[in-house]
Amino acid sequence: MHLLSSGRASKVYALSDNLVLRRCSWNPEPEARLMAHLRDQGYPVPEVFRIDGTDMTMERLHGPTLAEGMTSGRVAPLAAAAIMLDLLERLHQISAPDWLPGESRGLNLNGRKVLHLDLHPENIIETPAGPAVIDWTNAAAGDPAVDRAVSWAILAELDPAALPLDPAPLLDALARDLPATALDTALRFREADTNITTAEHARARALAAHLIP
């Protein structure tokens, strides 16, 4: 199998031109169930074909990530913001099924819409059919503002000196009219992730200080 990508807790291998295998360190069945629900609602996610223990076989999406498009200069930050906001808005029109938990990492997410809770440019694939969203591991039910705030926090954690472009336009677009309560919940949600460093948390908190009265 050819390794396509590797994250902090999973690896994705190419099985063929049409299939990938995602090897996880957790049970992917709840994620696959939600992805099937979202596909039924017309939301752009890959189709899941099989679960075998911690392995999930699913549709292989072809195209660059939105992050790659931004890095190459093909997609401007404001255009990327429009793509992300559209995907979030479309997702938040979908009511969460009864079985999707409304709490995560010890936090009540205060709503019953489907939240991705990890939607950032590396989890968006620009396919010939349009942008599609991957990696639904963190999904839960909650307030849509929290989901947008989590996307903002993920980008705010990044070291701007290490980025090939200025993230400010994207951050500004995501932060527009965010309730302080949603931003606070998002920051605490991110800080409950042991994979995130103290420096990353500090960067997000510093930028959030300019948004929270």
Side-chain angles (χ1 to χ4, degrees):
M1 294 186 296
H2 172 61
L3 180 65
L4 292 176
S5 64
S6 179
R8 285 168 168 163
S10 67
K11 294 182 178 180
V12 178
Y13 299 90
L15 296 179
S16 70
D17 193 53
N18 299 315
L19 296 174
V20 295
L21 173 69
R22 185 179 179 196
R23 182 152 287 164
C24 314
S25 59
W26 61 87
N27 176 11
E29 287 188 5
E31 184 177 0
R33 187 181 184 189
L34 177 61
M35 291 168 69
H37 174 73
L38 293 173
R39 281 182 63 85
D40 288 343
Q41 301 297 314
Y43 195 78
V45 299
E47 184 175 1
V48 177
F49 297 108
R50 180 181 177 185
I51 300 292
D52 184 9
T54 58
D55 288 351
M56 181 162 63
T57 301
M58 56 186 174
E59 175 187 5
R60 182 176 181 178
L61 301 180
H62 292 278
T65 66
L66 183 58
E68 291 168 339
M70 294 174 67
T71 300
S72 70
R74 181 176 52 80
V75 182
L78 283 178
I83 291 170
M84 290 183 64
L85 289 170
D86 177 67
L87 288 167
L88 286 166
E89 182 179 355
R90 290 164 60 191
L91 177 63
H92 298 153
Q93 293 173 5
I94 302 174
S95 295
D98 293 342
W99 41 264
L100 190 66
E103 294 184 355
S104 183
R105 300 178 186 172
L107 297 172
N108 185 333
L109 301 176
N110 303 314
R112 290 305 305 172
K113 295 297 185 180
V114 176
L115 311 185
H116 185 279
L117 297 175
D118 198 21
L119 201 151
H120 55 77
E122 289 187 350
N123 280 338
I124 299 171
I125 308 295
E126 296 184 278
T127 77
V133 181
I134 61 171
D135 195 355
W136 293 85
T137 306
N138 294 327
D143 174 9
V146 171
D147 207 9
R148 181 157 56 94
V150 169
S151 291
W152 178 91
I154 291 169
L155 296 170
E157 290 164 359
L158 300 176
D159 181 359
L163 298 176
L165 48 80
D166 181 7
L170 184 52
L171 286 167
D172 290 346
L174 289 169
R176 190 169 298 125
D177 299 324
L178 268 181
T181 53
L183 186 56
D184 179 66
T185 298
L187 291 169
R188 289 188 287 129
F189 177 82
R190 292 293 294 171
E191 288 166 356
D193 185 344
T194 57
N195 291 311
I196 310 303
T197 68
T198 301
E200 288 170 327
H201 293 319
R203 280 193 287 269
R205 282 284 178 185
L207 288 176
H210 299 289
L211 300 176
I212 300 176

